[in-house]
């Protein structure tokens, strides 16, 4: 029976769904840091929906918030004041120290909003971003995403974007000019495989932005909402960006994105909009998520260290609960071996194994995951 389910899904997917994703297993249930596939096999989930399920799977407080709101009002449109939306904006402004928020439904859309905001408020056209950076798959966000294999088939894209080596401040200073609307940067590059920039990089970007009038746009879609041990990874640098974008960990898996900009930098009436963005359910899920993250936030650096210590012989890189290791061509094999032994991990770009578990992962689960990954790496 259960095997037939997998078979059915595979057959239906092959017949009716575009083959844009490579996948093998079907996950049918989750609780905390564990998921189960349709064969009843249990896994410790160090993928967490790609850094999305921050509070773990089906956290009771998040489930209750969604169910409660679903029984009152699911959608009403941004033509009206939306339940939970202003409350969430207030929370995010408080956590980030910025001025005002604007919601979207995904990370890419949050970055689209940032592109529009930077263009309309600076009156400038061009952007600068970094090698191996990832900002999304929509046309605008793809234009500032580096990886040629995913970007070039869709060119010409807008906005025009120049790419500079991640970490290279001299190179950045050379290309930013008075027609640069903004610089897109991740504090730790996630899709690239958890790449941590040199110290002083963010301070240097801030200075270049201050000198030229370009906006500093920090993409915290993956690093934000406690993932690295602070609400924003940028908060480790002492730098205040002009715009921050969020999405992945913000609502425990309910789709939402946000851009938050410094005071005075905002859309005026009719400049931007979205039918679904910042809806009552998404904002309820986000508010409940923030309450849970607030409780576990102080534990995240310690948990991250536990991973790094356990995996030390494989030279892991990490910041909080974002851990990456260069393992090369055998990354897919290692991923499969881990899955066979009950731990889900994922291969980011260029043979980099990535672990981005729920922020509520326990020490025991970390130790088991570390043993399994070590065994798979040999
Ligand atoms: C995942 C990701 C995005 C894109 O988010 P989507 O919700 O998939 O559109 C953008 N930036 C970064 C840093 C990401 O990790």
């Amino acid at each position: 029976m259960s095997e037939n389910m997998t078979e059915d899904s595979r057959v239906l997917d092959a017949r009716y769904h575009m083959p844009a994703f490579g996948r093998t297993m079907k996950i049918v249930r989750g609780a905390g840091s564990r998921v189960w596939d349709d064969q009843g096999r249990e896994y410790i989930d160090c993928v967490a929906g790609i850094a999305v399920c921050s509070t773990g799977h089906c956290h009771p407080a998040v489930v209750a918030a969604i169910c409660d709101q679903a029984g009152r009002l699911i959608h009403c449109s941004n033509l009206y004041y939306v339940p939970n939306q202003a409350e969430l904006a207030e929370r995010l402004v408080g956590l980030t120290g910025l001025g005002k928020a604007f919601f979207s439904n995904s990370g890419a859309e949050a970055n689209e909003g940032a592109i529009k905001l930077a263009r309309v408020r600076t009156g400038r056209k061009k952007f600068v971003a970094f090698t191996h950076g990832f900002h999304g798959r929509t046309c605008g966000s793809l234009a500032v995403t580096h990886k040629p294999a995913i970007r070039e088939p869709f060119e010409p894209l807008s906005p025009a974007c120049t790419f500079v080596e991640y970490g290279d401040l001299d190179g950045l200073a050379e290309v930013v000019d008075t027609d640069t609307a903004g610089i897109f940067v991740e504090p730790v590059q996630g899709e690239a495989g958890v790449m941590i920039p040199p110290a002083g990089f963010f301070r240097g970007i801030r200075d270049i932005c201050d000198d030229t009038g370009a906006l500093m746009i920090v993409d915290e879609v993956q690093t934000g909402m406690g993932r690295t041990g602070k609400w924003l990874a940028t908060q480790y640098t002492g730098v205040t960006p002009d715009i921050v974008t969020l999405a992945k960990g913000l609502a425990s898996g309910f789709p939402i994105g946000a851009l938050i900009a410094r005071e005075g930098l905002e859309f005026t009436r009719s400049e931007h909009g979205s039918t679904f963005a910042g809806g009552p359910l998404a904002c309820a899920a986000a508010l409940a998520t923030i309450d849970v993250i607030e409780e576990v936030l102080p534990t995240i650096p310690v948990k991250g260290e536990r991973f790094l210590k356990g995996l030390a012989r494989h030279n892991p890189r990490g910041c909080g609960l974002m851990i990456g290791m260069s393992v090369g061509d055998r990354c897919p094999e290692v991923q499969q071996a881990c899955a066979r032994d009950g731990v889900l991990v994922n291969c980011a770009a260029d043979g980099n194994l990535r672990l981005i578990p729920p922020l509520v992962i326990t020490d025991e689960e970390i130790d088991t995951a570390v043993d399994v990954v070590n065994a798979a790496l040999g």
Side-chain angles (χ1 to χ4, degrees), residues 301-312:
V302 187
K303 288 176 186 171
E305 281 305 314
R306 198 175 181 98
F307 268 110
L308 293 182
K309 217 173 138 206
L311 297 166

Side-chain angles (χ1 to χ4, degrees), residues 353-377:
L353 196 71
R354 175 175 51 171
L355 283 72
I356 36 178
L359 306 181
V360 298
I361 192 168
T362 64
D363 286 349
E364 294 70 35
E365 286 166 335
I366 292 172
D367 294 345
T368 305
V370 160
D371 287 346
V372 166
V373 172
N374 276 330
L377 285 167

Side-chain angles (χ1 to χ4, degrees), residues 106-109 111-112 133-146 150-151 157 186 191 219 221 248:
S106 67
E109 272 181 87
N111 287 330
E112 293 287 332
F134 183 85
H135 303 292
R137 302 281 200 150
T138 57
C139 287
S141 64
L142 188 58
V144 295
T145 288
H146 174 246
I150 66 169
R151 175 173 40 81
L157 291 165
E186 293 163 87
E191 294 311 290
D219 182 341
V221 167
K248 286 192 166 99

Side-chain angles (χ1 to χ4, degrees), residues 26-98:
K26 181 174 184 180
I27 295 173
V28 295
R29 190 163 69 84
S33 300
R34 314 271 172 146
V35 290
W36 288 265
D37 68 13
D38 60 350
Q39 315 289 300
R41 279 189 293 246
E42 180 179 319
Y43 303 88
I44 295 173
D45 185 6
C46 292
V47 178
I50 315 190
V52 166
C53 308
S54 49
T55 60
H57 294 276
C58 304
H59 191 288
V62 177
V63 172
I66 292 171
C67 290
D68 180 61
Q69 184 58 49
R72 292 167 196 272
L73 184 71
I74 292 177
H75 177 76
C76 64
S77 160
N78 283 306
L79 292 169
Y80 310 97
Y81 292 106
V82 176
N84 309 318
Q85 191 184 80
E87 290 77 3
L88 178 59
E90 180 190 28
R91 251 356 246 288
L92 293 177
V93 163
L95 301 176
T96 59
L98 294 168

Side-chain angles (χ1 to χ4, degrees), residues 334-347:
V334 173
Q335 178 187 319
Q336 276 167 28
C338 289
R340 267 198 305 276
D341 288 339
V343 175
L344 299 184
V345 295
N346 141 270
C347 293

